[in-house]
Amino acid sequence: MTDHDHMREALCLALKGKGFTSPNPCVGAVVVKNNVVVGRGWHRAAGMAHAEVEAIEDAQTTAPDSTESATIYVTLEPCNHFGKTPPCTHKIINAGITRVVVGCKDPNPYVSGGGIRYLKEKGIQVEQGLLEKESQALIEDFIWYTRENKTPFVILKCASTLDGRIATATGDSQWITNEKSRSHVHKIRHEMDAILIGSGTLNADDPSLTSRIENTRTKDPIRIILDSKLSIDENAQVITQESNAGTIIVAGPKACPEKKKTLEKKGVQVLEVSLKKGRLDLSQLMIKLGAMNIQSLLIEGGGKVAASALKAGIVNKVLFFLAPKLLGGSDGKPVFDGKGPEKICDAFELKQTRVKMFGTDVLITGYLKDPMPE
């Protein structure tokens, strides 16, 4: 087994916490002695033990001296400060570990490198940057939010026929993509802090916006509805259903005060933002959501919301599902509704694109903003 093999296992362990650890990042760790894995751990939820602590205690459960002169592989730089839990650097030193292999540094500019520096000062051999890109990709939302942006990492999810339609002229859209694609979207929902749609999608489909994966424990994202006039039906699923997450209705400054009070009595949070050219100001909304510690946001709205998000410049990443279907006409509902650029050179261009198949569906993933700016 190589260093790469052990770090890949740590990355796999970190994925087990994805969706449960916010506002903390998901982290995995593996303790190895004489090239044998003796301990494994991952951060399970905010406030619970960090990955390094779990891995060390897992190793010591078998034999108290199993961590002496061992190596620990961890996807993120060990913390060196007191929070809800003691510093992981202290745990590593006290365990007798002599080598630490780190995937990526802590993105927080105020603490980045502090854990590595402290360990080196205590005579620990530290190596940083093994599978760094993979480690960063695992926590890209945390990195974006933490590096002084303080706004959510935004993923825009689209799904269309090959001729660019999200629904027929009558509004029928079930189902454009296949079951495998839809299951993947539910996994993404579970991993995100919040999900956003517009009132048009809400009124047309009455969606639940929950995360449902068969035989898997999941966390629902906070549901955010753009509804400038508070037109939402008080019996909509996003209000009445049982869920482990709340609902936020984003309203304009002239929304009905009585309707606002009614919704708040039902446990809904009404968040007011300004209007910009007659539509809710999405840039202002991102600032407000960031202040609420919402670090990641999935947009699943219709054509108008998708177009508005692009034009507002809030989208970091795009997930675009293409189903091998053709409506064969120009009267269906487009992916993006509204006026586009006059020249191709002004088009939104995705970078770092990847392609993946879900049965016969194609998923194209790409970035509009670098989640890890220097």
Side-chain angles (χ1 to χ4, degrees):
M1 299 286 281
T2 66
D3 283 347
H4 280 76
D5 294 326
H6 295 312
M7 186 59 80
R8 289 195 186 282
E9 181 172 2
L11 286 165
C12 289
L13 288 167
L15 276 171
K16 293 186 176 184
K18 192 76 171 174
F20 295 113
T21 63
S22 185
N24 296 343
C26 55
V27 183
V30 175
V31 178
V32 176
K33 186 171 183 177
N34 299 326
N35 206 32
V36 176
V37 176
V38 295
R40 298 175 173 87
W42 68 92
H43 186 38
R44 297 173 185 266
M48 295 185 69
H50 287 187
E52 301 94 316
V53 174
E54 275 221 343
I56 289 169
E57 292 183 351
D58 180 47
Q60 292 175 337
T61 298
T62 305
D65 63 348
S66 60
T67 55
E68 289 287 340
S69 301
T71 296
I72 187 168
Y73 298 81
V74 59
T75 58
L76 181 66
E77 175 184 2
C79 64
N80 191 42
H81 57 276
F82 285 89
K84 291 184 178 180
T85 59
C88 290
T89 51
H90 294 193
K91 186 77 172 182
I92 290 169
I93 293 166
N94 293 336
I97 288 171
T98 54
R99 179 174 177 244
V100 179
V101 182
V102 176
C104 64
K105 285 186 179 181
D106 191 317
N108 189 326
Y110 299 104
V111 301
S112 181
I116 291 173
R117 186 165 52 252
Y118 181 80
L119 290 170
K120 286 182 176 179
E121 289 172 354
K122 297 299 180 179
I124 308 296
Q125 179 186 349
V126 182
E127 299 168 27
Q128 183 263 322
L130 181 64
L131 299 183
E132 184 175 36
K133 289 184 178 179
E134 292 87 342
S135 298
Q136 289 176 330
L138 186 69
I139 56 169
E140 59 188 7
D141 50 351
F142 178 77
I143 291 173
W144 172 263
Y145 182 87
T146 303
R147 284 189 172 174
E148 301 187 51
N149 291 292
K150 300 304 180 185
T151 56
F153 181 84
V154 177
I155 296 178
L156 174 62
K157 172 254 171 180
C158 306
S160 79
T161 61
L162 291 179
D163 46 357
R165 303 294 160 175
I166 62 173
T168 66
T170 64
D172 182 40
S173 62
Q174 297 186 351
W175 296 103
I176 287 178
T177 54
N178 62 32
E179 188 174 343
K180 290 183 178 180
S181 294
R182 298 197 299 275
S183 294
H184 183 69
V185 171
H186 279 273
K187 176 178 176 292
I188 300 298
R189 286 182 179 182
H190 157 74
E191 295 175 353
M192 305 296 284
D193 286 345
I195 182 172
L196 180 148
I197 65 169
S199 58
T201 298
L202 179 81
N203 295 331
D205 301 335
D206 189 25
S208 63
L209 302 182
T210 54
S211 175
R212 304 179 300 279
I213 305 174
E214 190 174 354
N215 300 321
T216 303
R217 183 173 70 94
T218 59
K219 170 196 65 65
D220 291 339
I222 297 169
R223 296 169 292 279
I224 302 175
I225 315 299
L226 301 178
D227 189 5
S228 60
K229 297 179 181 179
L230 292 183
S231 63
I232 186 171
D233 186 328
E234 295 169 23
N235 295 313
Q237 285 196 83
V238 294
I239 296 176
T240 60
Q241 70 191 350
E242 290 188 12
S243 173
N244 51 29
T247 296
I248 298 173
I249 308 295
V250 184
K254 294 184 179 180
C256 175
E258 291 304 317
K259 183 69 174 285
K260 178 182 177 181
K261 290 180 182 178
T262 300
L263 291 171
E264 288 175 338
K265 286 180 181 178
K266 291 178 175 289
V268 175
Q269 180 179 357
V270 179
L271 186 65
E272 182 182 308
V273 301
S274 302
L275 298 180
K276 190 174 183 179
K277 295 182 179 180
R279 301 187 67 83
L280 293 166
D281 187 337
L282 295 184
S283 296
Q284 183 185 106
L285 175 60
M286 293 306 106
I287 294 171
K288 291 196 173 189
L289 295 181
M292 295 165 64
N293 216 13
I294 293 176
Q295 298 183 3
S296 58
L297 174 69
L298 177 65
I299 297 179
E300 280 196 39
K304 289 182 179 180
V305 170
S308 295
L310 278 183
K311 291 172 183 175
I314 65 170
V315 178
N316 295 76
K317 185 177 182 180
V318 176
L319 303 181
F320 204 125
F321 290 88
L322 282 170
K325 299 174 182 177
L326 296 166
L327 292 187
S330 61
D331 58 342
K333 297 185 182 298
V335 180
F336 300 103
D337 189 353
K339 187 176 181 180
E342 294 182 359
K343 297 180 180 180
I344 291 295
C345 63
D346 294 324
F348 296 93
E349 185 173 358
L350 300 182
K351 301 176 182 179
Q352 303 177 47
T353 54
R354 300 193 309 274
V355 177
K356 185 175 181 179
M357 300 297 297
F358 287 90
T360 57
D361 290 349
V362 179
L363 169 61
I364 300 171
T365 303
Y367 294 85
L368 290 172
K369 296 181 182 179
D370 186 349
M372 291 156 276
E374 293 300 331

